[in-house]
Amino acid sequence: MNDFETGFLILFVLGSACASWRRDNTAGLTAIAITLLGLMYVPWLLNFMQKINFFPGVEGNYFLLYFILLTKFSDMGAYVVAHSLDAIK
């Protein structure tokens, strides 16, 4: 991020928080906080994919494929186990 983007983001967050506090709207402040945390959380995790792909000294494509497949098959395994246990009830 360059200085303009960082400054704009800070001003936007502070302006949104001040507008929410002025109206005494706690639900609005909660919505702003959740949105901003979501906007920071997703790119932060996607940045790790880029770091794995361009890791120096190794072929990052294979590690990236390994982690994606590991995650997908773990999710599918949990789904199958959950449905098989649900059918027993």
Side-chain angles (χ1 to χ4, degrees), residues 41-59:
Y41 182 71
V42 172
W44 182 64
L45 288 179
L46 289 175
N47 187 32
F48 279 105
M49 291 176 60
Q50 187 177 22
K51 286 182 179 183
I52 291 169
N53 193 23
F54 295 113
F55 196 74
V58 296
E59 189 65 36

Side-chain angles (χ1 to χ4, degrees), residues 5-25:
E5 291 172 344
T6 306
F8 182 75
L9 181 65
I10 290 171
L11 286 175
F12 177 76
V13 170
L14 290 175
S16 299
C18 288
S20 179
W21 281 322
R22 189 178 308 155
R23 295 185 198 127
D24 195 31
N25 185 5

Side-chain angles (χ1 to χ4, degrees), residues 24-41:
D24 195 31
N25 185 5
T26 57
L29 186 61
T30 304
I32 291 168
I34 291 172
T35 301
L36 290 174
L37 286 174
L39 286 174
M40 287 190 268
Y41 182 71

